[in-house]
Amino acid sequence: MNKTNPEIPYKILLSEAELPTQWYNVRADMKNKPAPLLHPETHKPMTFDELRNVFCDELTKQELDDTNPYIDIPDEIRSFYRMYRPAPLVRAYFLEKALGTPARIYYKFEGNNTSGSHKLNSAIAQAYYAKKQGLKGVATETGAGQWGTALSMACAYFDLICQVFMVKVSYEQKPFRREVMRTFGASVTPSPSDKTAVGRRILADHPGTGGSLGCAISEAVEAAMGQEGFRYVLGSVLNQVLLHQSIIGLETKIGLEKYGEKADVVIGCAGGGSNLGGLISPFMGEKLRGEADYRFIAVEPASCPSLTRGVYAYDYCDTGMVCPLSKMYTLGSSFMPSANHSGGLRYHGMNSVLSQLYADGLMEATSVEQTKVFEAAQFFARCEGTLPAPESAHAIRAAIDEAVRCRETGKAETIVFGLTGTGYFDMFAYQKFNDNAMTDYIPTDADLAGSLAKLPKIG
Ligand SMILES: *Cc1c(COP(=O)(O)O)cnc(C)c1O
C-alpha cells in the first residue's frame, strides 16, 4: 500500500466544496489542434453563425474554443451536479485480490444517478444553456438509451421540451428505458421514423432496418432545425461534450492527489469518446505540458473498431449526411455495426480531439470482443458488487488485462479506469451471455472497405 497514506479507503469521496468550479479544455494545451468542422456542402470550416443554427450560442462557442484552458461551470449547473457529484473513486481491493496482482486499481464510478451513466454531466449543461437562451426545447437521438434518459432528466429540471429519436432495435429491446424518459416528460420516437424526410428516405432504402445512431442523429437534426425555438443536442462525439465530461477527470485527479497516488495507466471505453476524453483530459494536459507522463488506453469493441481499424479522414457524423464533416478516425458513416453486437459503443467515428491525440501517438487504443467483455463484466460484478454497463465493461476488460500484465512482470502500477455506468437495462445482453448464446462479430476488411470507399472526397 501507499507509503504516505497507509489507509487508502475503499471509496475516495470528495466533499461538495471540492467539486471543481471550472471545466478543463484540453484543446488549449494541444500543439496540433483538432481539425475544424466543415460545412457538408461547401467543405469550408463551419463558422459561428452557421453552427448557431444547430446548437445554442454558448455551446457553439465552446465547440469552437481551442484556446481557453478553463471554462467556468455556471452555478446552476454546479448546484445540479451536487445532487449526484462528486462521484466516488473506488479502490478495487476485491478485484486486485481476485487477480492476485500487485497493481493498485481504481475506478471512477459514474453510475450514481437515475440515467445510470456519465451522460448527465453534459445533459444538464446543454439543457441549461438552451434554457438561458430562451429556447423552447431540444431534439436528440439515443442509442442504448442512457443519453435520452439523461437529457430527459435535465429538460425536466429546466422545463424544456425534450424530443428523443431512439434507435429502433433499442426502442424495442429496452421498453423500460423508454418509460423512464417518458416519466421525465420526454417524447420518444423509434428511428428511422416517418416523421422526418431523412427517416422516410432511410426507410425506403433499408426497409425493416433496426436503425443506427447515425440515422437517429440525422432525424433529430432535421426535427430541431424544422421547429422554431428548438436546437439539436448530442450526448457524445462533440468537443463541447468532452469539455463537460472533464469533470470526471478533474475529480479523479483531486481524489488521487488526496491519497498521494499517481496514475500510471488511465483507461476508458470509447464510443464517441466523451467519457474517455473527459477522464483523461486533465492528465493529458500534464503530459502535453511536459509535467508528467501517463499511458492512456481507449478501449473499443472489435465489432466497431474506429480507432484501431478505421482511417483518419473527414467524414459525415451521421448517416443522412446533413451534419458538418468532422476529421476523425472513422469506419465510414454508412458502416452499420452488426445487430449481433449488444455491448453499446456502436458509433462509426470518434471525437476529433481524441482522434488527433491518437494520430500524434499520445494515446493507445485496443479493441475487444464482446464475449471477453462480458466475461470481464461478470468477474467484476462478482468481485466488486456493481453490475456494470456493457460499455463500461470494455474498460474493465482492459484494466484486468493490464493488472494481469502487472502480475506477470511484478510491477506495482496504478491503474485507473472509468466505470461509466450500470447495466440494469442491458439484461437481454447479460441473458445471452449467461445462456452461452453470445457470439462475436468482427467485420472483415472487405466489410470495412465498403463503407470506407464512400468517404467524402475533401480538398
Ligand atoms: C454512452 C455511453 C458510453 C459511450 O459514450 P462515450 O461518448 O464514448 O463516452 C459509455 N458508457 C456508458 C455507460 C454510456 O452510456
Side-chain angles (χ1 to χ4, degrees):
M1 244 186 253
N2 188 290
K3 275 202 206 80
T4 48
N5 285 286
E7 304 236 3
I8 296 175
Y10 283 81
K11 285 211 261 352
I12 296 179
L13 296 167
L14 306 184
S15 70
E16 284 180 28
E18 289 172 294
L19 184 69
T21 55
Q22 295 177 308
W23 291 301
Y24 169 64
N25 179 12
V26 70
R27 284 168 279 167
D29 284 311
M30 290 169 69
K31 225 177 4 201
N32 297 330
K33 306 290 182 197
L37 293 170
L38 299 185
H39 192 283
E41 277 147 33
T42 65
H43 296 179
K44 295 232 164 62
M46 290 291 286
T47 62
F48 178 84
D49 286 329
E50 286 166 338
L51 270 181
R52 70 189 288 257
N53 294 320
V54 187
F55 307 123
C56 69
D57 292 359
E58 200 57 35
L59 293 168
T60 302
K61 239 192 254 166
Q62 294 178 0
E63 193 61 34
L64 297 173
D65 187 344
D66 282 351
T67 51
N68 288 307
Y70 289 98
I71 291 167
D72 288 342
I73 304 175
D75 284 343
E76 291 87 342
I77 297 175
R78 215 165 156 269
S79 76
F80 185 90
Y81 277 167
R82 286 165 75 163
M83 285 201 279
Y84 69 101
R85 309 199 70 84
L89 178 66
V90 185
R91 173 77 185 266
Y93 281 115
F94 296 116
L95 181 64
E96 290 170 18
K97 196 165 163 222
L99 293 171
T101 178
R104 294 188 297 280
I105 308 175
Y106 291 89
Y107 58 90
K108 181 71 168 167
F109 182 49
E110 291 290 327
N112 263 334
N113 67 76
T114 292
S115 77
S117 81
H118 65 287
K119 300 258 178 12
L120 193 55
N121 301 334
S122 183
I124 195 63
Q126 297 192 42
Y128 166 76
Y129 291 119
K131 187 67 183 182
K132 199 171 144 224
Q133 194 175 320
L135 298 175
K136 276 191 229 152
V138 291
T140 198
E141 73 296 321
T142 196
Q146 288 97 323
W147 167 246
T149 312
L151 188 70
S152 64
M153 291 169 71
C155 286
Y157 185 74
F158 284 121
D159 195 21
L160 283 165
I161 298 169
C162 180
Q163 299 174 345
V164 181
F165 288 86
M166 186 171 186
V167 176
K168 194 188 266 166
V169 275
S170 182
Y171 181 92
E172 284 161 2
Q173 271 192 8
K174 301 184 181 184
F176 294 148
R177 266 272 174 226
R178 181 177 81 213
E179 290 318 312
V180 180
M181 289 184 247
R182 292 178 62 208
T183 301
F184 282 97
S187 66
V188 188
T189 305
S191 166
S193 77
D194 58 10
K195 279 194 183 171
T196 64
V198 66
R200 290 188 290 273
R201 199 174 81 215
I202 292 166
L203 279 174
D205 291 349
H206 306 273
T209 176
S212 73
L213 214 47
C215 298
I217 294 174
S218 305
E219 287 210 85
V221 171
E222 184 183 320
M225 307 273 286
Q227 295 173 90
E228 184 67 32
F230 274 69
R231 288 294 185 284
Y232 168 67
V233 291
L234 177 60
S236 181
V237 189
L238 297 170
N239 295 342
Q240 57 187 270
V241 183
L242 203 124
L243 173 73
H244 305 147
Q245 297 297 357
S246 69
I247 190 86
I248 303 172
L250 292 163
E251 285 182 10
T252 301
K253 202 153 169 300
I254 298 170
L256 290 172
E257 278 164 8
K258 235 176 139 164
Y259 288 92
E261 281 282 40
K262 186 196 164 285
D264 293 298
V265 193
V266 187
I267 300 169
C269 62
S274 73
N275 88 83
L276 171 70
L279 173 64
I280 71 172
S281 273
F283 300 96
M284 182 62 84
E286 288 188 316
K287 182 167 173 145
L288 291 166
R289 297 188 301 269
E291 297 164 6
D293 198 16
Y294 302 96
R295 282 178 66 211
F296 301 106
I297 307 177
V299 192
E300 55 185 16
S303 66
C304 194
S306 40
L307 286 169
T308 49
R309 293 179 66 200
V311 299
Y312 190 30
Y314 268 105
D315 193 11
Y316 295 96
C317 294
D318 61 323
T319 311
M321 306 181 201
V322 296
C323 291
L325 296 158
S326 176
K327 189 175 180 196
M328 57 185 175
Y329 279 87
T330 179
L331 299 169
S333 65
S334 61
F335 179 76
M336 290 271 185
S338 160
N340 152 307
H341 179 78
S342 37
L345 310 174
R346 295 158 54 106
Y347 188 63
H348 67 273
M350 186 56 61
N351 165 267
S352 67
V353 171
L354 290 180
S355 292
Q356 185 62 48
L357 292 169
Y358 182 61
D360 289 338
L362 291 157
M363 182 179 84
E364 305 165 31
T366 183
S367 72
V368 286
E369 290 150 35
Q370 70 172 348
T371 50
K372 297 279 186 307
V373 167
F374 277 81
E375 277 167 21
Q378 184 193 66
F379 190 75
F380 179 83
R382 291 179 186 181
C383 292
E384 292 287 323
T386 295
L387 182 82
E391 294 90 337
S392 320
H394 289 71
I396 298 173
R397 175 77 265 165
I400 289 176
D401 292 346
E402 287 294 315
V404 168
R405 175 186 57 76
C406 287
R407 182 177 72 208
E408 285 162 2
T409 57
K411 286 192 180 145
E413 293 182 13
T414 301
I415 300 168
V416 177
F417 73 89
L419 188 70
T420 49
T422 47
Y424 303 120
F425 288 106
D426 298 283
M427 297 325 287
F428 264 130
Y430 273 98
Q431 183 181 28
K432 245 194 196 168
F433 178 73
N434 292 332
D435 289 343
N436 278 323
M438 182 171 273
T439 54
D440 291 318
Y441 162 79
I442 301 177
T444 63
D445 288 342
D447 290 338
L448 297 183
S451 54
L452 288 173
K454 292 188 204 131
L455 286 178
K457 309 269 177 291
I458 306 293

